[in-house]
Amino acid sequence: MRVTLSRTVLTAALGVGTAFAAAVPASAGTVPGDAGGTVRAAGPYCDPGWSVHVQRKVKYKQSTGERDELINRTSRTVQRTYSLTRQSQTKWNVTVEGSVSFKAWVFSEVNIKVGGGLEKQSSITKSVSDTVPVKAHRTLVVTRGFRKLKVYGYTSYTWSNCATGRYKSFVVTAPYSKYVEYKEVRN
């Protein structure tokens, strides 16, 4: 035996009445995107693409191995001249993706400009000498070299659904300036 309910009985049984009709928007019958806009699925959306993530930066000095000692054994301050003449060079290194665009990307992220752009090395070619005061009973040690930055990080790709995948780790080692350093020690 088959039971057939009328529409009124069925609506009352489901607990849906006029409130259901009011909850349906007037545009429910129209086709999505009819207004000329793009239809996008509900949920997060991100611009897909690669990004660089810097985890740690370490600054350090790399000496050229050249030093000059100015010794003052007197009881007064004297003027002494030091001379540093060795030519030296250092290179930067990226241990991941070799592309120029990746290097430019990383270098802009870590704010390194070597000689105003991306170069493969930095050189000291100029001899330096200067006259400096040395205090009584002191030795002034003069050294020079490169200030360098080592940056650890990774690249990742973000998809349009905002999911991110880790791609590769990298280490960037680059010179960012040169220095002449004076260190005073007691005799």
Side-chain angles (χ1 to χ4, degrees):
M1 174 177 195
R2 188 172 175 173
V3 177
T4 308
L5 297 175
S6 71
R7 185 179 174 127
T8 312
V9 174
L10 183 60
T11 306
L14 293 174
V16 184
T18 54
F20 177 76
V24 177
S27 63
T30 62
V31 177
D34 251 3
T38 2
V39 177
R40 188 178 296 156
Y45 177 79
C46 294
D47 289 330
W50 289 99
S51 57
V52 174
H53 306 274
V54 173
Q55 296 171 306
R56 186 169 55 116
K57 298 178 186 181
V58 179
K59 287 185 176 181
Y60 66 99
K61 293 178 185 174
Q62 179 187 7
S63 172
T64 60
E66 184 178 19
R67 63 186 271 154
D68 201 352
E69 293 184 2
L70 309 174
I71 302 168
N72 181 2
R73 292 193 173 97
T74 67
S75 56
R76 59 186 173 79
T77 299
V78 295
Q79 298 289 324
R80 293 282 187 264
T81 302
Y82 71 85
S83 180
L84 301 172
T85 58
R86 182 182 298 172
Q87 294 185 7
S88 184
Q89 63 178 256
T90 188
K91 296 181 179 182
W92 58 263
N93 177 40
V94 177
T95 59
V96 71
E97 297 297 306
S99 72
V100 174
S101 62
F102 175 81
K103 290 174 185 173
W105 197 0
V106 170
F107 273 62
S108 65
E109 175 70 24
V110 299
N111 299 318
I112 295 176
K113 296 268 187 196
V114 182
L118 283 174
E119 295 176 0
K120 292 185 178 166
Q121 63 188 21
S122 182
S123 300
I124 292 177
T125 55
K126 191 172 133 185
S127 296
V128 177
S129 65
D130 199 5
T131 303
V132 292
V134 182
K135 293 180 182 173
H137 305 292
R138 302 285 170 123
T139 298
L140 188 64
V141 180
V142 184
T143 57
R144 73 171 168 174
F146 302 95
R147 284 189 183 90
K148 296 180 91 173
L149 181 64
K150 187 172 261 193
V151 179
Y152 300 88
Y154 64 93
T155 57
S156 66
Y157 189 82
T158 303
W159 287 271
S160 60
N161 67 354
C162 298
T164 303
R166 190 166 174 163
Y167 180 59
K168 268 191 175 178
S169 296
F170 66 83
V171 178
V172 176
T173 304
Y176 63 92
S177 70
K178 301 166 190 171
Y179 73 88
V180 175
E181 185 175 68
Y182 305 92
K183 184 177 181 184
E184 200 173 81
V185 293
R186 246 176 133 46
N187 290 347

